[in-house]
């Protein structure tokens, strides 16, 4: 199953929304019927990865750019108000740039899929299991180098 991280805008509310859907969810169609216009979307391999991209994007918007949630529960009765931001504070293209940046960081991170994405301890606090295990090729090459060469 694939997942999709999306960015939507609502001209009436002057709002931008970032979110994710898994598989063949009808959420995007539901939001479109309520006036949300698709800006862009990113298809990734799993729904969990799409959620990670969404959460990392929301973290950047809330805690790096200091943009608060915009809409209320009364305005978004279908849920998802915490994923909205005012277009006066952040544009849809800025949100999309953050989505792409976070997707790249998560996708290139060696700990993706192990539950510890984007968390690297400082070098003086390394612990067993913090580094990625060697690949099969690296293990075979190391084993070959350890075997003493036979003379003659």
């Amino acid at each position: 199953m694939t997942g999709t991280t999306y960015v939507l805008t609502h001209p009436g509310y002057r709002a931008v929304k970032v979110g994710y859907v898994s598989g063949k969810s009808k959420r995007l169609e539901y939001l479109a019927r309520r006036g949300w216009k698709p800006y862009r979307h990113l298809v990734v391999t799993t729904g969990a990865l799409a959620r990670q991209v969404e959460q990392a994007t929301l973290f950047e918007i809330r805690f790096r750019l200091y943009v608060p949630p915009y809409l209320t529960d009364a305005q978004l009765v279908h849920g998802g108000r915490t994923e909205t931001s005012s277009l006066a504070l952040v544009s849809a293209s800025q949100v999309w740039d953050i989505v792409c940046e976070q997707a790249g960081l998560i996708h290139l991170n060696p700990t993706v899929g192990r539950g510890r994405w984007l968390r690297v301890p400082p070098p003086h606090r390394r612990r067993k299991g913090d580094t990625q295990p060697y690949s099969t090729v690296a293990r075979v090459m190391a084993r070959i180098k350890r075997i003493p060469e036979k003379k003659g």
Side-chain angles (χ1 to χ4, degrees):
M1 284 197 125
T2 61
T4 303
T5 304
Y6 58 83
V7 176
L8 306 174
T9 59
H10 195 291
Y13 291 138
R14 298 270 310 134
V16 62
K17 176 176 176 35
V18 62
Y20 81 99
V21 291
S22 297
K24 297 182 180 186
S25 173
K26 302 288 185 197
R27 180 143 175 91
L28 288 174
E29 294 170 12
Y30 179 82
L31 291 168
R33 286 193 304 267
R34 287 176 173 55
W36 290 94
K37 307 286 182 208
Y39 180 72
R40 297 227 172 109
H41 67 276
L42 173 72
V43 178
V44 293
T45 54
T46 64
L49 196 56
R51 184 175 195 286
Q52 284 183 352
V53 172
E54 178 216 26
Q55 292 298 307
T57 301
L58 287 171
F59 180 84
E60 288 292 315
I61 292 170
R62 301 289 180 247
F63 300 106
R64 301 266 194 258
L65 300 178
Y66 302 109
V67 176
Y70 181 56
L71 299 178
T72 64
D73 285 330
Q75 292 168 315
L76 250 62
V77 294
H78 55 276
R81 70 160 186 87
T82 58
E83 295 127 12
T84 62
S85 301
S86 171
L87 280 172
L89 299 175
V90 62
S91 69
S93 64
Q94 287 174 314
V95 173
W96 178 248
D97 289 345
I98 295 170
V99 166
C100 293
E101 177 185 12
Q102 295 305 312
L105 289 173
I106 289 170
H107 193 69
L108 294 174
N109 192 337
T111 60
V112 168
R114 290 177 39 193
R116 296 189 324 238
W117 54 282
L118 295 180
R119 191 187 96 206
V120 178
H124 67 281
R125 299 181 99 188
R126 302 294 288 178
R127 294 189 181 102
K128 184 177 180 181
D130 283 344
T131 57
Q132 185 80 357
Y134 290 119
S135 69
T136 306
V137 173
R139 282 186 293 208
V140 169
M141 294 302 292
R143 194 176 311 127
I144 290 171
K145 285 185 179 183
R146 280 184 278 174
I147 298 173
E149 292 182 19
K150 296 182 181 180
K151 295 180 182 176

